[in-house]
Amino acid sequence: MHNAYRLACEDLKAGRLVLFTGTPCQVDGIKALCPKGSEEHLVCMDIVCHGVPSPRVWNDYKAYVEQKYHGKIEKIDFRNKERFGWSDHWETVTINGKEHDSQVYMKMFYEHTFLREACYVCPYKNLQRISDISIADAWGVETANPEFDDNRGVSLVLINTQKGEKWFLDSLQGCDFKECALEKYMQEPLKGPFKKPDNTENVWKEYNEVSFGKFVKNHYKEPFLSVVKRSLKRKIKDMIPKEFWNRLRRWR
């Protein structure tokens, strides 16, 4: 991230336009470092951040997957929309040209026990956005605007400043969009930080005492019947046109 800050500041000093994207705290960082007089050349866009997991856990997960499947990771898809759709959170890891599906890292992430300490007291989790534009997944679209929901992903865009509005309107070629009521898309990171789970210390204690593989086995091992059911469901789904599943999902 330090290189990103350095390069952005160099471009701003040279009078070049810079679009800086990142978490809100990272945006606050570039604003603090922005050379005086160059603010008009800086456009900031943040993501509505759920929280940032521990880099140690991420590195342990990568090492675990590479050891399990005997090779180096070639690609990681954190939400395999092609196979599972947008709303089902499955990560797919490609090693030696073969794809492996898992929910281990997703479950660790959403349990909130492995977030950075600062995330539990984050001052940016509200509607007072620090950037010109904020982007997020449009959770709630299936009820608020079902005609937009194809289970392939819909983005929520919050326009926070006049500069952000100009850049957004200048970038709309080829895009389908509509104005919507924000209250129908309110999600937890727009309301406040997630509470630190009560069992966080105990989870970290166990994490430090056992191997990552043992920790996964203790907490996230998928039952055999679930594996079989998922495999059958995927084979059936591959045989039926995607449009049918999308229509069925909208009907439900």
Side-chain angles (χ1 to χ4, degrees):
M1 199 64 206
H2 291 122
N3 283 337
Y5 286 144
R6 180 178 57 80
L7 292 172
C9 288
E10 288 178 358
D11 284 341
L12 288 169
K13 286 180 181 178
R16 290 188 283 268
L17 290 173
V18 171
L19 172 62
F20 185 91
T21 64
T23 61
C25 54
Q26 291 169 340
V27 169
D28 205 4
I30 193 61
K31 283 192 166 187
L33 295 172
C34 179
K36 287 186 178 181
S38 63
E39 295 86 352
E40 63 180 289
H41 299 297
L42 176 65
V43 180
C44 294
M45 181 168 69
D46 68 67
I47 60 170
V48 176
C49 181
H50 193 99
V52 180
S54 160
R56 175 190 168 191
V57 173
W58 167 239
N59 288 326
D60 288 346
Y61 172 76
K62 288 193 298 181
Y64 162 77
V65 170
E66 290 181 340
Q67 182 179 24
K68 182 177 181 179
Y69 297 114
H70 312 292
K72 291 293 183 180
I73 294 174
E74 299 160 8
K75 178 184 175 183
I76 296 181
D77 188 342
F78 284 106
R79 190 177 297 152
N80 190 332
K81 293 184 283 188
E82 184 66 31
R83 186 174 298 157
F84 301 102
W86 176 49
S87 56
D88 288 340
H89 293 200
W90 284 83
E91 65 251 21
T92 298
V93 179
T94 303
I95 294 179
N96 296 325
K98 188 174 181 181
E99 295 183 341
H100 306 276
D101 303 320
S102 170
Q103 286 188 311
V104 169
Y105 192 75
M106 179 274 292
K107 289 178 179 178
M108 297 181 80
F109 177 69
Y110 283 115
E111 285 175 355
H112 301 151
T113 49
F114 294 107
L115 298 182
R116 290 172 177 260
E117 284 293 321
C119 295
Y120 300 123
V121 291
C122 177
Y124 305 103
K125 284 186 165 66
N126 51 57
L127 291 176
Q128 305 304 311
R129 310 306 297 176
I130 195 169
S131 300
D132 301 298
I133 299 171
S134 300
I135 56 174
D137 284 309
W139 300 123
V141 68
E142 68 279 359
T143 54
N145 297 103
E147 71 280 6
F148 259 57
D149 183 24
D150 61 359
N151 201 26
R152 295 302 300 266
V154 180
S155 295
L156 179 69
V157 181
L158 306 180
I159 306 299
N160 308 314
T161 66
Q162 289 184 344
K163 185 194 295 184
E165 182 178 27
K166 179 182 181 304
W167 275 70
F168 176 71
L169 293 176
D170 288 345
S171 306
L172 284 180
Q173 291 184 358
C175 294
D176 292 326
F177 79 100
K178 70 179 302 181
E179 293 186 29
C180 58
L182 182 56
E183 60 267 20
K184 294 182 179 180
Y185 289 92
M186 284 297 292
Q187 43 199 269
E188 292 306 312
L190 289 173
K191 300 175 183 177
F194 291 101
K195 180 180 178 293
K196 185 176 182 179
D198 294 334
N199 66 337
T200 297
E201 290 185 9
N202 290 334
V203 171
W204 269 112
K205 183 175 184 297
E206 180 187 352
Y207 188 92
N208 290 324
E209 291 175 349
V210 302
S211 67
F212 189 88
K214 178 69 173 175
F215 187 85
V216 169
K217 186 177 180 180
N218 290 345
H219 295 274
Y220 310 111
K221 186 176 180 181
E222 189 178 5
F224 176 74
L225 287 178
S226 294
V227 176
V228 174
K229 182 180 177 181
R230 175 164 54 85
S231 179
L232 287 173
K233 183 179 178 181
R234 192 173 80 186
K235 288 180 180 179
I236 293 172
K237 210 170 182 181
D238 289 342
M239 295 168 59
I240 299 174
K242 293 176 184 176
E243 182 56 31
F244 171 81
W245 292 110
N246 290 335
R247 288 182 180 180
L248 178 63
R249 196 170 164 276
R250 285 195 291 268
W251 176 77
R252 291 174 61 187

